[in-house]
Amino acid sequence: MVRLGILGIASKMWLSYIAQRALFLFEDHPLLEISAFIADDPADVGKTLAEATQDRWQAEEPLPARYAGAKLIAADTQSLKSSGLDIVLSTLPGPQARMLDPQVAAAGIAVVSESVGLRLEPDVPLLVPEINADHLGIIKSQRKARGWERGFIVTNPVCTAVIIALAMKPFVDAFGLRACVLTTLQSLSGAGYRGIPSLAVLDNLLPFIDQEEEKLHSELPKIFGTYRDGKIVPHPAPFACTATRVPVRDGHTASITLDLERTPDLGKMAALIDGCRGRAQALNLPHAPKQPLVYRPEPDRPQPQLDRNRGDGMVVSVGRVRPAPAFDHGVGFVAVGHNHGRGTYGNSVLLTELLVKEGLVGRA
């Protein structure tokens, strides 16, 4: 079994929710065992997980009793090296992640980071396992540049980018991509439990999400980029993104229009979408959906309330596929995915499994 640590589960920030929800996916895992919880605040070192999260537990289910008495360890080099950990899931705000994630990697431990902190570093892969698992090849260059013998960092994209990239994958693979214009309708849970005041969004739509459009503009080209000669070269297609917040609890929706390099046969779209597979499915990762994309033929689907929990929240639904005559080879469609079930903790858990299955962590 690969020894897993979780960093950020007791954080005062809302990102602790991601680690707390991931905890349940790692219970009785066939490949990984939870071996340590790492404190992001030195004041929490030595506290039990129950004590540290007493007023910070955000997950819907209570803290499992089996972990309540586990004591949080320090994030210093000596403690990390003596922990025996192989891999750490880190869910920290950007500034903290930029400091602590490299510290964990320098101690010889692989890091799967949920944070925005290092996503755009040239030598750090930004991964959706079904799309760009080959970008793991850059880990060798990362270690050499940073002087790390065993440790390394891979990152999880912003949740919206995970959903959008998965929905785009069959179109990009089959017909190439020249440009993308999209608008998101993002759920309230994407901003955290205390993120949006209720009176601001009831009977309303918020047409701006701070930094979200910038993340999509930069992260999507990197996800669809090409790994060659030890570098990740972002996809050259321009992206124009508008991010909005809507009064939906869970599930992000995106209205996407693509200018493709070749005109698609819309009669074959259902088979193309339903047949989409990637490295996660080829490796049979424990939490990978057998079918990551589902085509919805109904004129009023997908909808977040009806489609967000498909495949335990790991499946993205695509519908309303239609011509987009504004472009020479245009196609438009709507995608819905669970922003956390697939976008945050779901994709992060898949990344830990991917690293194990690819032989990048664990004992020989």
Side-chain angles (χ1 to χ4, degrees):
M1 296 290 284
V2 174
R3 293 170 58 85
L4 170 77
I6 300 180
L7 170 61
I9 194 168
S11 171
K12 298 180 179 71
M13 306 299 288
W14 82 267
L15 286 168
S16 62
Y17 173 80
I18 297 171
Q20 292 166 12
R21 290 295 302 130
L23 177 67
F24 294 95
L25 297 186
F26 286 123
E27 280 198 290
D28 302 317
H29 197 282
L31 302 176
L32 300 115
E33 60 180 358
I34 299 174
S35 300
F37 299 99
I38 306 167
D40 63 295
D41 183 346
D44 289 332
V45 175
K47 292 182 180 179
T48 66
L49 188 58
E51 292 169 340
T53 62
Q54 185 174 8
D55 58 351
R56 306 175 198 167
W57 190 259
Q58 301 179 63
E60 294 83 355
E61 304 90 337
L63 170 65
R66 65 195 288 188
Y67 302 119
K71 292 186 177 181
L72 274 71
I73 68 171
D76 62 74
T77 302
Q78 182 177 350
S79 299
L80 291 168
K81 284 187 174 181
S82 62
S83 68
L85 293 173
D86 300 300
I87 187 169
V88 163
L89 172 63
S90 172
T91 63
L92 300 174
Q96 264 192 310
R98 284 191 288 273
M99 177 181 67
L100 291 181
D101 288 353
Q103 195 166 299
V104 176
I109 302 169
V111 179
V112 172
S113 180
E114 175 62 34
S115 173
V116 67
L118 298 168
R119 286 177 189 158
L120 298 181
E121 291 289 306
D123 61 350
V124 176
L126 183 66
L127 296 172
V128 179
E130 287 89 343
I131 298 175
N132 61 337
D134 63 307
H135 289 192
L136 289 172
I138 204 169
I139 287 173
K140 183 176 180 181
S141 300
Q142 182 191 120
R143 283 171 166 164
K144 183 177 180 180
R146 297 172 184 253
W148 298 337
E149 184 177 348
R150 295 183 64 245
F152 60 88
I153 298 172
V154 301
T155 56
N156 192 58
V158 64
C159 56
T160 327
V162 174
I163 295 165
I164 292 167
L166 280 168
M168 289 177 56
K169 173 181 167 58
F171 299 92
V172 176
D173 286 354
F175 307 107
L177 178 65
R178 294 171 59 182
C180 172
V181 179
L182 66 90
T183 297
T184 68
L185 299 96
Q186 298 178 216
S187 65
L188 301 177
S189 63
Y193 187 75
R194 299 178 179 87
I196 305 293
S198 60
L199 291 181
V201 74
L202 285 174
D203 190 32
N204 200 17
L205 178 149
L206 303 180
F208 171 74
I209 303 175
D210 188 33
Q211 299 182 38
E212 191 77 3
E213 292 162 6
E214 292 85 350
K215 292 174 185 176
L216 292 172
H217 286 144
S218 55
E219 293 183 25
L220 287 167
K222 185 171 182 179
I223 294 168
F224 283 111
T226 303
Y227 173 69
R228 60 173 180 263
D229 300 327
K231 297 179 180 180
I232 297 170
V233 181
H235 197 289
F239 286 76
C241 308
T242 301
T244 74
R245 189 77 69 187
V246 295
V248 172
R249 177 181 171 87
D250 293 305
H252 287 351
T253 301
S255 175
I256 304 168
T257 302
L258 304 179
D259 183 18
L260 303 171
E261 293 177 353
R262 297 173 295 280
T263 300
D265 181 349
L266 296 187
K268 297 180 179 179
M269 288 300 99
L272 184 71
I273 293 166
D274 284 340
C276 183
R277 302 291 187 274
R279 188 65 175 158
Q281 287 69 44
L283 291 172
N284 196 27
L285 301 183
H287 283 96
K290 300 298 182 185
Q291 182 179 331
L293 293 174
V294 170
Y295 174 74
R296 301 299 316 196
E298 305 90 337
D300 60 349
R301 298 283 287 276
Q303 300 177 27
Q305 192 176 75
L306 300 177
D307 296 298
R308 62 194 171 200
N309 291 319
R310 183 176 291 274
D312 294 324
M314 292 293 287
V315 172
V316 173
S317 299
V318 178
R320 297 216 58 222
V321 181
R322 61 206 187 277
F327 294 119
D328 291 338
H329 308 288
V331 62
F333 54 93
V334 174
V336 167
H338 198 296
N339 47 301
H340 289 307
R342 177 64 215 227
T344 60
Y345 60 80
N347 201 66
S348 291
V349 169
L350 276 189
L351 291 182
T352 65
E353 296 171 352
L354 177 69
L355 296 178
V356 174
K357 284 281 196 172
E358 294 286 14
L360 292 167
V361 298
R363 294 167 177 78

